[in-house]
Amino acid sequence: DIHMTQSPSTLSASVGDRVTITCRASQSINSWLAWFQQKPGKAPKLLIYKASSLESGVPSRFSGSGSGTEFTLTISSLQPDDFATYYCQQYNTYPWTFGQGTKVEI
Amino acid sequence: QLQLQESGPGLVKPSETLSLTCTVSGGSISSSNYYWDWIRQPPGKGLEWIGNFYYSGNTYYNPSLKSRVTISVDTSKNQFSLRLSSMTAADTAVYYCAGSMGGISTQWGQGTLVTVSS
């Protein structure tokens, strides 16, 4: 299985901050990486796919980059609605695997 | 817009088999555009992909669960199902169904909590 490691596990930030979350894969996954946002009691919501493509309807303050084994999710200016847990997921090789999550809190 | 809704028991006894159903609306489960996935999340923990089904009949399972998992489809009801046998407390989780395109889970159900307890 491809192991996905996110850092940090928890991130304390304020409204307006620029936030960066890193996701590393245990082997190359090309650009087959997605980012999800999850709020308590809700299903994950797709933000980014193919490492850097913004899902329709997702605010442009979210962006993704990277390829191979190292990826980043950036929120350019953190908004109150962005406090949530973020997961990366590889879909290069079965079984699909997720990172352990990064909780963005105040 | 594709919508998915999980249904099934909220409580399962140890050693029993879990059966969950996902009803799809807004699209056909026979569509070549989608894979139909099951994903779970233990309380307070991360996400685990269980497996998926493609309209052609192909199924892919997580090797960690493969011996216990079956995913099937009922095209007449536009539903797909998950069966997970020999349940233990470690299988307590919120179970999500999802529609995926090219490996990307674009649409998710709301999730259903399954607790394993006697």
Side-chain angles (χ1 to χ4, degrees), chain B residues 38-111:
Chain B
W38 286 98
I39 298 157
R40 70 179 182 177
Q41 184 173 37
K45 297 187 178 180
L47 298 158
E48 180 181 32
W49 180 81
I50 298 171
N52 66 18
F53 183 98
Y54 190 51
Y55 86 107
S56 62
N58 288 341
T59 53
Y60 299 90
Y61 299 134
N62 193 322
S64 67
L65 299 168
K66 187 174 183 178
S67 64
R68 301 194 289 132
V69 173
T70 304
I71 296 174
S72 59
V73 169
D74 186 337
T75 55
S76 68
K77 296 181 179 179
N78 222 37
Q79 295 175 334
F80 64 106
S81 299
L82 170 71
R83 286 175 58 87
L84 184 62
S85 64
S86 305
M87 293 283 282
T88 72
D91 296 311
T92 292
V94 175
Y95 285 76
Y96 295 100
C97 59
S100 300
M101 301 179 71
I104 309 158
S105 297
T106 56
Q107 300 296 334
W108 296 62
Q110 66 185 26

Side-chain angles (χ1 to χ4, degrees), chain B residues 13-46:
Chain B
K13 289 182 168 57
S15 80
E16 291 189 342
T17 295
L18 169 67
S19 292
L20 293 177
T21 296
C22 182
T23 301
V24 177
S25 58
S28 172
I29 204 158
S30 299
S31 170
S32 61
N33 293 328
Y34 286 97
Y35 284 74
W36 305 104
D37 292 66
W38 286 98
I39 298 157
R40 70 179 182 177
Q41 184 173 37
K45 297 187 178 180

Side-chain angles (χ1 to χ4, degrees), chain A residues 44-72:
Chain A
K45 173 189 173 184
L46 177 66
L47 299 176
I48 301 281
Y49 61 94
K50 206 175 178 183
S52 60
S53 296
L54 192 68
E55 172 71 346
S56 176
V58 174
S60 59
R61 63 181 179 272
F62 291 93
S63 64
S65 65
S67 65
T69 62
E70 188 153 340
F71 303 86
T72 59

